């Protein structure tokens, strides 16, 4: 008899949603998290789409820090484009308090029947004839659990995939290297009803700078750079930006660092293994947003795991159902955005400026996303013509 | 593995984010909660982790010999 049907490694949004989904399907599930506090330290700018989040969980006031109206995007020469929340997509709408949100999600998993262990890291897996022996380290002591399968929801630094034969190693052009400060006293400098984005390779090579308001004049101000394109570490560019904007560095109440995978991979399952969220490289290549996809994938993973347990079939072939279901749900968008991202990365700052200028005068708030893309193609046929087939 | 090169972590700079772990082909580093450990016997000194670190917390220490 196995100790559990499934072990879930990592208690981020992906892991907790997967554990809950497994438990609700009637599986015996253990979720392990190496940190002693779920949700802390935060590695996120905490923006999510309202509609997407509401479709996944019942929205609770206690973990919403702020609701925003839309996004303001500044081109390299600071030409401003304003988008409504719906147009801006997955990362604009609610700004979460992830320390509370992540913990709430983990509690939902526990309440649904999952066992949860914190300060417990998975450190290896041994394959056996009828299952897996997962090695865990809790407060320095080693022990093992036997399971039928493993769900790797261990984030950007994921090792579960590697142990199970899926190469998830990121190259320097497949990750955004990020740093962020939580800064207070910004209410007089920026419209705090909007998320702000600054683009351009000079100030953030291969990435962008963001400001997401969290209420009471405070905001997450951060940067992502692509290490293959940046000559200096992310922190250098963020500090330079703060200086150029005249943002004081004497009111920083939190520092966050992190990596976001921005390149989808071919396989996210293997024999007795499913990967979820950042571990599956499911973050969006353009925005770097990954909370929603981690939760969507987690939900699907629980269903597929339940089916596998019922049939007693943990083969790579059967579990590839998971790959298919994810692709149908959100994977196609990821692939499309990867194509778009590659295109944007090649654009010079002058091109970005002329695109932004071409949109001046349009009431962007009135246009849908496809509407915006149509305007873009019409105004910049040379630049965007080859993308037409991706959208229409 | 060549040992004339060693990756060192500045623990005062490191913000324990795990970005360096995600680029390591050799499973040579592990983020143990809030501290990074590097297994020198597995590290081939490719320096990818140095390049990805947002905090500039990693560096190469080369010993003569
Ligand atoms: C600076 C920054 C800003 C971002 N901003 C946004 C944003 O605004 N909106 C958005 O949608 N996304 C954003 N993202 C991405 C988002 O944070 C991730 O996509 C999301 O957290 C993925 O969830 P997850 O559950 O897959 O992984 P994570 O939330 O990373 O959780 C993984 C968990 O696994 C644990 N773990 C790892 N290894 C082990 C092990 N061996 N044993 C046990 N536990 C382990 C970790 O401690 C961690 O708690 C941002 C990321 C960064 C770095
Ligand atoms: S130098 Fe290369 S092999 Fe060594 S820890 Fe860094 S990424 Fe891994
Ligand atoms: S990438 Fe840098 S800051 Fe992040 S864990 Fe590694 S050494 Fe620390």
């Amino acid at each position: 008899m196995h100790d559990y049907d499934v072990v879930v490694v990592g208690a981020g949004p992906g892991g907790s949603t997967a554990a809950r989904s497994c438990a609700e399907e009637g599986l015996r599930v253990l979720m392990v998290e190496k940190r002693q506090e779920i949700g802390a330290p935060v590695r996120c700018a905490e923006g999510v789409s309202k509609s997407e989040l509401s479709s996944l969980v019942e929205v609770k006031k206690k973990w919403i820090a702020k609701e925003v109206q839309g996004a303001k995007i500044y081109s390299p020469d600071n030409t401003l484009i304003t988008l409504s929340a719906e147009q801006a997509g997955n990362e604009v709408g609610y700004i979460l308090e992830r320390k509370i949100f992540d913990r709430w999600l983990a509690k939902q998993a526990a309440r649904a029947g999952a066992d949860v262990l914190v300060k417990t890291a998975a450190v290896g897996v041994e394959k056996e004839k009828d299952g897996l022996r997962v090695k865990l380290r809790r407060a320095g002591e080693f022990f093992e659990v036997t399971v039928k399968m493993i769900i790797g929801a261990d984030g950007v630094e994921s090792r579960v995939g590697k142990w199970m034969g899926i190469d998830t190693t990121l190259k320097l052009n497949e990750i955004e290297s990020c740093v962020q400060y939580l800064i207070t006293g910004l209410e007089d400098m920026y419209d705090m009803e909007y998320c702000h984005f600054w683009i351009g390779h000079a100030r953030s090579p291969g990435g962008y700078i963001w400001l997401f308001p969290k209420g009471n004049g405070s905001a997450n101000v951060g940067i992502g750079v692509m290490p293959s394109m940046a000559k200096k570490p992310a922190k250098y560019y963020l500090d330079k930006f703060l200086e150029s904007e005249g943002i004081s560095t004497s009111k920083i109440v939190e520092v966050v660092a992190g990596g976001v995978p921005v390149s989808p991979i071919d396989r996210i399952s293997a024999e007795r293994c499913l990967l979820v969220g950042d571990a599956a490289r499911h973050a969006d290549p353009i925005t770097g947003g990954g909370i929603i996809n981690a939760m969507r994938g987690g939900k699907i993973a629980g269903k597929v795991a339940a089916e596998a347990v019922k049939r007693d079939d943990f083969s790579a072939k059967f579990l590839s159902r998971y790959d298919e279901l994810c692709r149908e749900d959100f994977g196609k968008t990821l692939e499309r955005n990867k194509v778009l991202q590659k295109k944007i990365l090649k654009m010079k700052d002058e091109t970005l400026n002329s695109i932004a200028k071409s949109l001046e005068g349009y009431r962007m708030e009135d246009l849908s996303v496809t509407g915006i893309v149509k305007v873009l193609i019409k105004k910049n046929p040379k630049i965007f013509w080859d993308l037409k087939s991706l959208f229409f | 593995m060549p040992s004339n090169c060693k990756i060192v972590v500045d623990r005062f700079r490191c913000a324990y984010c795990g970005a360096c772990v995600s680029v390591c082909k050799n499973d040579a580093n592990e983020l143990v909660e809030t501290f990074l450990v590097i297994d020198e016997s597995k590290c081939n000194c490719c320096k990818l982790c140095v390049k990805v670190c947002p905090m500039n917390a990693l560096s190469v220490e080369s010993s003569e010999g």
Side-chain angles (χ1 to χ4, degrees):
Chain A
M1 173 89 171
H2 300 86
D3 296 326
Y4 290 94
D5 293 320
V6 183
V7 65
V8 176
V9 180
S16 288
T17 309
R20 176 181 178 175
S21 174
C22 285
E24 284 173 352
E25 297 284 341
L27 300 183
R28 294 177 308 132
V29 52
L30 169 69
M31 174 164 71
V32 295
E33 167 56 56
K34 70 176 177 179
R35 303 177 186 184
Q36 60 186 11
E37 288 177 63
I38 289 171
V42 174
R43 290 179 195 159
C44 190
E46 311 180 291
V48 283
S49 137
K50 261 190 231 179
S51 55
E52 301 261 13
L53 188 67
S54 335
S55 74
L56 287 159
V57 283
E58 196 192 323
V59 175
K60 300 277 181 204
K61 266 208 183 101
K62 61 180 174 191
W63 38 254
I64 304 287
K66 173 87 190 151
E67 224 179 301
V68 292
Q69 306 303 318
K72 291 191 181 290
I73 303 169
Y74 306 82
S75 78
D77 66 1
N78 284 337
T79 304
L80 177 62
I81 301 166
T82 304
L83 302 177
S84 70
E86 293 74 46
Q87 294 162 346
N90 259 347
E91 290 66 42
V92 177
Y94 288 133
I95 311 301
L96 300 171
E97 195 60 71
R98 273 199 62 183
K99 278 178 197 148
I100 304 175
F101 179 67
D102 283 22
R103 215 168 283 193
W104 181 84
L105 284 178
K107 278 190 206 150
Q108 300 298 311
R111 209 164 286 163
D115 283 351
V116 180
L117 287 178
V118 294
K119 216 172 171 60
T120 306
V123 292
V125 181
E126 225 171 83
K127 293 176 195 170
E128 295 186 327
K129 219 168 64 215
D130 63 345
L132 303 170
R133 190 171 286 274
V134 181
K135 297 186 177 176
L136 303 171
R137 183 184 56 219
R138 185 182 205 192
E141 309 244 347
F142 291 87
F143 64 106
E144 297 174 342
V145 289
T146 52
V147 296
K148 294 175 184 166
M149 62 180 288
I150 188 167
I151 295 180
D154 45 345
V156 70
E157 69 197 85
S158 179
R159 296 162 80 210
V160 170
K162 295 180 198 178
W163 296 333
M164 300 302 291
I166 307 170
D167 184 11
T168 53
T169 312
L170 297 170
K171 298 195 181 74
L172 292 182
N173 61 357
E174 294 175 339
I175 183 169
E176 291 286 330
S177 170
C178 307
V179 58
Q180 171 182 285
Y181 304 136
L182 177 57
I183 306 181
T184 64
L186 293 170
E187 61 271 33
D188 297 330
M189 296 184 72
Y190 299 96
D191 184 342
M192 297 302 247
E193 297 307 313
Y194 283 82
C195 285
H196 302 256
F197 298 89
W198 289 263
I199 56 172
H201 298 308
R203 52 189 168 198
S204 52
Y208 64 86
I209 295 165
W210 64 83
L211 182 153
F212 288 5
K214 287 199 74 180
N216 295 323
S218 65
N220 289 328
V221 184
I223 190 170
V225 301
M226 189 169 271
S228 61
M229 298 173 78
K231 294 205 169 64
K232 299 246 164 65
K235 186 176 179 298
Y236 166 86
Y237 295 97
L238 183 61
D239 291 341
K240 216 170 107 181
F241 172 76
L242 296 185
E243 204 187 316
S244 71
E245 287 282 301
I247 299 177
S248 159
T249 50
S250 58
K251 296 212 173 3
I252 295 175
V253 294
E254 188 176 81
V255 179
V256 166
V260 186
V262 286
S263 203
I265 49 175
D266 293 339
R267 276 309 296 269
I268 49 171
S269 65
E271 191 181 337
R272 296 192 186 275
C273 172
L274 304 176
L275 298 180
V276 166
D278 279 9
R281 306 330 187 189
H282 274 164
D284 188 281
I286 294 183
T287 64
I291 300 170
I292 295 293
N293 287 349
M295 293 172 71
R296 283 180 159 190
K299 221 170 183 174
I300 300 171
K303 297 215 167 92
V304 173
E307 192 72 16
V309 169
K310 204 166 93 194
R311 293 169 177 236
D312 197 28
D313 184 354
F314 303 93
S315 64
K317 184 162 178 284
F318 178 73
L319 293 178
S320 69
R321 275 176 79 89
Y322 172 66
D323 296 54
E324 280 162 37
L325 291 171
C326 286
R327 187 166 300 128
E328 277 166 31
D329 194 42
F330 54 84
K332 281 187 193 147
T333 309
L334 288 183
E335 282 158 24
R336 184 194 74 189
N337 286 0
K338 182 68 200 172
V339 178
L340 206 54
Q341 176 231 28
K342 280 190 178 159
K343 177 123 189 143
I344 296 169
L345 285 177
K346 279 195 209 127
M347 287 180 188
K348 295 205 165 70
D349 281 2
E350 299 85 75
T351 315
L352 294 169
N353 284 330
S354 75
I355 292 168
K357 288 251 154 51
S358 78
L359 295 173
E360 265 185 331
Y362 276 87
R363 276 180 53 91
M364 301 297 283
E365 273 118 323
D366 297 342
L367 296 174
S368 65
V369 173
T370 19
I372 294 172
V373 177
K374 270 191 186 147
V375 174
L376 279 172
I377 295 173
K378 198 170 135 213
K379 292 280 181 172
N380 309 275
K382 277 206 195 106
I383 303 170
F384 287 113
W385 193 254
D386 53 328
L387 292 181
K388 223 178 143 198
S389 58
L390 284 176
F391 287 90
F392 306 107
Chain B
M1 297 274 169
S3 56
N4 57 341
C5 156
K6 191 178 148 189
I7 304 291
V8 286
V9 198
D10 182 336
R11 299 205 184 288
F12 297 100
R13 277 196 201 171
C14 172
Y16 29 93
C17 71
C20 52
V21 179
S22 72
V23 297
C24 183
K25 271 193 203 61
N26 301 322
D27 206 14
N29 49 11
E30 183 193 350
L31 181 62
V32 181
E33 235 187 290
T34 53
F35 60 97
L36 182 74
V37 288
I38 298 170
D39 181 344
E40 282 174 43
S41 68
K42 288 187 187 171
C43 171
N44 70 357
C45 232
C46 70
K47 299 182 193 135
L48 291 178
C49 56
V50 177
K51 194 89 215 289
V52 86
C53 176
M55 305 300 286
N56 200 17
L58 296 172
S59 57
V60 186
E61 185 181 89
S62 37
S63 54
E64 299 305 310

